[in-house]
Amino acid sequence: MTTITSGAAQVELAIGGMTCASCAARIEKKLNRMDGVEATVNYSTEKAKVTFDADISVADLIATVEATGYTAQEPTPPRTDVGTGSGSGGEEDDGAEELRPLRQRLITSVVLSVPVIAMAMVPALQIDYWQWLSLTLAAPVVTYAAWPFHRAAWTNAKHGAATMDTLISVGTTAAFLWSLWALFFGTAGTPGMTHAFEFTIARTDGAGNIYLEAAAGVTAFILAGRYFEARSKRKAGAALKALLELGAKEVTVLRGGREVTVPTSDLQVGDRFLVRPGEKIATDGTVVEGSSAVDASMLTGESVPVEVSVGDSVTGATLNAGGRLVVEATRIGADTQLARMARLVEDAQNGKAAAQRLADKISAVFVPIVIGLALATLGFWLGTGSGLAAAFTAAVAVLIIACPCALGLATPTALMVGTGRGAQLGILIKGPEVLETTRKVDTIVLDKTGTVTTGRMTLLKVHTAEGVAENDVLRLAGALEHASEHPIAQAVAAGASARVGALPTPEDFANVPGLGVQGVVDGHAVLVGREKLLAEWAMALPAHLERAKAEAEAAGRTAIAVAWDGEARAVLEVADAVKDTSAEAIRRLRALGLTPILLTGDNKAVAESVAAEVGIDEVIAEVMPQDKVDVVKRLQAEGRSVAMVGDGVNDAAALAQADLGLAMGTGTDAAIEAGDLTLVRGDLRAAADAIRLARKTLGTIRSNLFWAFAYNVGALPLAAAGLLNPMIAGAAMAFSSVFVVGNSLRLRGFRAAAN
């Protein structure tokens, strides 16, 4: 997918072969060294976004990436035939195909490693020739299952770099090769050999020691972490798929005076198509016949349905909530607002900097030091005349003890326990990269509709004329509105039935387009709608009802006039109600050091009214989806770390752009897929709990990583001194692993704040 912008070309490349964030940094550095090239590489989405001069070709860029040791190709553009339904499963199948080799390696390593570890650690299982059985089982693990680590280590070595893959490859290979030497040329292959399970510090020549359990166990543990990480990364493009799936699947086109149902992808600009009440509008267009109320809240954030009639523009994927419409298509495929929003989400995801993994940062320093120490140890013992076997024993022991088994558990166990506890509390955390940003977030941007408010029109207040009973108003107005399909009418009907019970059935019901409804209820001639509808029947609101109407509209609410038997009797206030828990949620977010900002596509009066009710000082209203992204970018440019909470399609791109995206689980799939955290309950208080849990999980991962290295670093001097026997090596590995698991399990005690 190549575009030209201001004299320069821009391309997105799909990058293959990256195993860690440092791989992305290496590719980015190589591309940026080319004259006239500016590139950003995202490890999470596996894409490179490159801007380059006209004298450079895409083939040159791909060649540079390949010369760095990775693959590159132009990705397939997202489908624009929204809603056809064909091929939607293909992406999922492709993702499963990519994961299959990793899953097979993981299963192989786990099945074969468990008996190897058991035999090494349990003396009772050390039957005659157990060491040869261990070799048979461990060989496929260290060669086939660990191949991705060896391949990545070789790639890193060619470029003078060292990462976790280097440490894993060198450590497992050293343990395996030393075990081979001990079995074939030393005394470890003798029938009846057992490990000396005693905590003694003594120099040994290593001829009777095997380390197959270390080689196999490390491979299995770290493959497990890589698999779960890769599975979460496969969902990076799911936000785009969710957006494109929002469109109508089929459309009724008017051709030659007949109604013909065709796939939405067959629509052409200029086609006229029918949209019945309750159907989605197939594509962007102009109304040429009929009038209705269109619910565009998922795209615009506007909580009140928009009245449309002949000549008005409508947007694809919005819902026709009222009457029959005939629409002429003006934009199709990639030109529609829905497709443009999909591109916004993709751009935001690709532009988000991938969090650098702490283990790789440590490895960049730790690996060269360990390899240098191993070589120094070998040279020292050779120089002192201790013999080749003793020197190699000490050097290899350094490499083996430096390969921390617990490091493979540090992130996945804390993440597994933390995400499991989060799921119990209605909080879904997508992956380890998410946690890094929670520590730094200082500003939280909140969508209004469906996040701070319920997202549903609700009857809030009833103002009656003197001598008129509120129940009479609700019974008559509710009965008439119940017969209407308009969302505001349905809100009145629902509120009325909740307060007065069963509603009577109206007679002579009629819808007055754009004004309201009229009919006969219990013998009364009733009008419900705009003040203009009453004026057409020569009725005026009394002064106090006129004031109530003006105050309601000033607060951004919808005011509905009610009249019967020739007199104006009441004014009803309908609005998107604030959730009962929102004000408490804002207090909790402030307590975490976050500054709340209300961001909405709704009008300013409504936004300011809601903000005042929940305690938010800063309001940004009347913004389109692309403007929401710009607002987040502006806040980030000011040096803020921004969290965003939203639930609609209109929030998806902003959720992806934000440093931390929190999607309400009660919202659209597009928002949920674009977010980093999902709040299943739809309760904004869960946002504060989610940030607390994410920060606590991150803290656990950090402490796990510290101890995973600390045990090994502490044992390195013993290894270098040639004093490390197999029992101490095995115990250090096992104890550090047990500590990491135990530390992670403490997250099960996390509690949501008291409600």
Side-chain angles (χ1 to χ4, degrees), residues 28-111:
E28 190 172 297
K29 184 188 292 184
K30 288 283 187 182
L31 287 171
N32 284 323
R33 281 179 181 170
M34 298 174 68
D35 291 335
V37 172
E38 187 177 331
T40 57
V41 181
N42 191 321
Y43 168 59
S44 178
T45 59
E46 297 181 327
K47 287 184 180 179
K49 192 170 186 177
V50 190
T51 304
F52 55 98
D53 290 343
D55 58 342
I56 297 172
S57 68
V58 174
D60 294 333
L61 301 172
I62 292 175
T64 299
V65 174
E66 290 176 343
T68 314
Y70 305 89
T71 63
Q73 62 182 23
E74 288 195 67
T76 304
R79 293 173 60 89
T80 55
D81 54 335
V82 296
T84 63
S86 62
S88 62
E91 286 182 31
E92 294 172 13
D93 295 341
D94 291 345
E97 279 297 321
E98 289 182 40
L99 281 177
R100 187 171 290 120
L102 184 56
R103 183 169 60 248
Q104 288 172 343
R105 293 180 197 276
L106 172 60
I107 292 170
T108 300
S109 66
V110 170
V111 170

Side-chain angles (χ1 to χ4, degrees), residues 205 370 543:
D205 65 2
V370 167

Side-chain angles (χ1 to χ4, degrees), residues 479-525:
L480 203 57
E481 294 283 54
H482 188 65
S484 171
E485 296 173 333
H486 197 290
I488 293 178
Q490 290 298 304
V492 172
S497 60
R499 299 186 200 186
V500 300
L503 301 172
T505 302
E507 303 169 24
D508 299 330
F509 171 84
N511 179 51
V512 184
L515 294 179
V517 291
Q518 60 189 44
V520 177
V521 182
D522 286 350
H524 300 285

Side-chain angles (χ1 to χ4, degrees), residues 121-141:
M121 296 299 175
V122 181
L125 298 178
Q126 294 178 3
I127 58 175
D128 287 347
Y129 301 106
W130 71 272
Q131 67 273 45
W132 295 100
L133 177 59
S134 290
L135 175 64
T136 305
L137 295 174
V141 178

